[in-house]
Amino acid sequence: MYLKDFEVRWSDIDANRHLANSAYINFMSHTRMSFLWELGFNHKTMAENQIGPVVFYEHMYYFKEVFPGKPIKVSLEVTGLSEDGKFFEFHHNFYDSNGKNVAHCEMMGAWISLKTRSLIGLNDNMLAAFNSIDKPEGFKVLTKEDTRRFAKAPQKDLSI
């Protein structure tokens, strides 16, 4: 499990004086990018391979409020990966300073080619990096069908 520490800043608080939804999203994004950088997926590597990560969805579950003044930890586990590395699923947990789980997120994403703007699998070296990490209990080899499990599609366009 990958862990990242955060200080809850004044700018992370909403009108109810607890951690804002947008702060949870930002902390998870920062955790993911730190994890990817440590795995070797930094800006240089992604630029050389003309790829970038895209998010399909993030499903958040909040259990307890988080207030400023105490640090929090955000975890990341790779809970799914397609055989070619194109699709990935990460789970995040938020922990307060006492180690209590205060929120959970399930997110799914993919890699996009910055040349063609279409989804793309990882090259052998990048895929080997992902395959080298420990897999949590319940890890799943993802397929394209897994990305459609919530069956959401765009609504009819507006006539403007």
Side-chain angles (χ1 to χ4, degrees):
M1 177 188 323
Y2 182 82
L3 286 170
K4 184 105 181 126
D5 293 313
F6 291 94
E7 173 186 356
V8 178
R9 305 163 303 175
W10 175 253
S11 61
D12 299 322
I13 304 304
D14 66 12
N16 293 321
R17 290 182 230 115
H18 61 203
L19 193 60
N21 177 269
S22 59
Y24 284 92
I25 303 299
N26 288 333
F27 288 162
M28 289 185 300
S29 178
H30 188 85
T31 300
R32 284 193 295 271
M33 293 313 297
S34 293
F35 167 78
L36 289 171
W37 279 43
E38 287 187 25
L39 199 60
F41 289 63
N42 56 33
H43 280 294
K44 181 181 178 198
T45 303
M46 288 192 274
E48 288 171 354
N49 289 280
Q50 289 291 294
I51 65 167
V54 294
V55 174
F56 291 163
Y57 64 76
E58 293 175 310
H59 295 165
M60 284 295 304
Y61 303 89
Y62 302 100
F63 310 131
K64 190 155 177 62
E65 291 178 292
V66 172
F67 298 101
K70 300 234 177 176
I72 60 169
K73 290 185 182 296
V74 180
S75 71
L76 179 149
E77 290 185 295
V78 179
T79 56
L81 187 69
S82 61
E83 288 183 359
D84 62 359
K86 180 187 298 182
F87 304 115
F88 53 83
E89 185 170 10
F90 296 158
H91 284 198
H92 293 282
N93 281 295
F94 287 75
Y95 299 96
D96 68 14
S97 59
N98 297 317
K100 182 174 178 62
N101 185 209
V102 296
H104 175 77
C105 179
E106 299 161 2
M107 75 79 63
M108 182 174 278
W111 294 98
I112 189 172
S113 164
L114 299 178
K115 288 181 194 174
T116 65
R117 309 308 289 181
S118 60
L119 300 181
I120 188 170
L122 296 174
N123 68 33
D124 289 341
N125 290 336
M126 297 176 111
L127 186 57
F130 259 103
N131 285 330
S132 72
I133 62 172
D134 291 332
K135 309 293 189 291
E137 186 177 321
F139 177 85
K140 181 178 182 181
V141 176
L142 300 174
T143 65
K144 185 175 182 179
E145 289 72 36
D146 291 306
T147 70
R148 308 285 193 254
R149 73 175 150 222
F150 296 108
K152 297 291 181 189
Q155 295 182 6
K156 182 178 175 184
D157 293 340
L158 290 176
S159 298
I160 299 178

